[in-house]
Amino acid sequence: MPTIDEYLDHAKDNQKLKSDRQLGALIGIKGSHVSAFRTKKAWPSDATMIRIAELAGEDQHEALLNLNIWRNLDSPVGPVYSRLMDKLKAAAMLGIALFFVIAAISGTATPARADQLHVLSYSIYYDKFLPIHVAEQLPM
């Protein structure tokens, strides 16, 4: 899990800034607040964390979860946020794996074209609801 310092450093690097004061100005807060984040004397608000993640080029959703983990390190809530993060990452990995499995089975990694879906919808509809002799006369 990245730290607040890593988010701040990535934001500075991405924006080509030299100081925390410059970063604070870009975020819309005082430079002293950035220093307080680094020393863990204060945590950014949710809106500020979203802005930091945006400037750092990081995922905003993950940044908010990390922020809540950091805020609650010494409380019973911290591990709950950590498990939530782990479950979300596992679900994302499962989704990616399923995509590749389905792509391998279907023989293509691209979604079906609209005209392919149209033909499929004809055959499902007509095969199910029209007499066979009518369905056979339809153009495909």
Side-chain angles (χ1 to χ4, degrees):
M1 168 177 48
T3 65
I4 186 66
D5 294 325
E6 290 171 329
Y7 276 98
L8 296 170
D9 289 341
H10 287 154
K12 278 176 43 179
D13 291 345
N14 283 355
Q15 303 306 312
K16 298 180 179 25
L17 303 173
K18 298 199 183 294
S19 70
D20 285 348
R21 187 178 344 162
Q22 290 174 320
L23 179 59
L26 192 58
I27 294 170
I29 60 175
K30 294 180 180 179
S32 60
H33 291 161
V34 176
S35 296
F37 302 157
R38 287 191 183 278
T39 59
K40 318 307 183 268
K41 292 181 181 175
W43 295 109
S45 68
D46 290 354
T48 300
M49 190 65 208
I50 288 172
R51 180 71 174 136
I52 293 168
E54 181 182 299
L55 294 172
E58 302 289 341
D59 182 72
Q60 296 171 355
H61 303 96
E62 187 174 337
L64 284 179
L65 278 173
N66 283 327
L67 175 62
N68 281 292
I69 292 168
W70 302 327
R71 284 179 180 159
N72 294 288
L73 284 175
D74 297 329
S75 80
V77 178
V80 173
Y81 278 113
S82 291
R83 285 192 303 275
L84 177 61
M85 176 76 85
D86 293 341
K87 287 180 180 182
L88 289 172
K89 285 182 178 180
M93 293 302 293
L94 179 61
I96 292 168
L98 282 174
F99 170 78
F100 284 111
V101 167
I102 291 169
I105 290 171
S106 69
T108 179
T110 60
R113 295 187 325 259
D115 62 333
Q116 292 171 326
L117 296 176
H118 184 67
V119 169
L120 179 63
S121 67
Y122 267 140
S123 59
I124 291 172
Y125 177 81
Y126 292 120
D127 288 348
K128 190 168 187 176
F129 297 107
L130 288 178
I132 293 174
H133 68 278
V134 175
E136 289 173 352
Q137 295 173 9
L138 293 171
M140 293 283 185

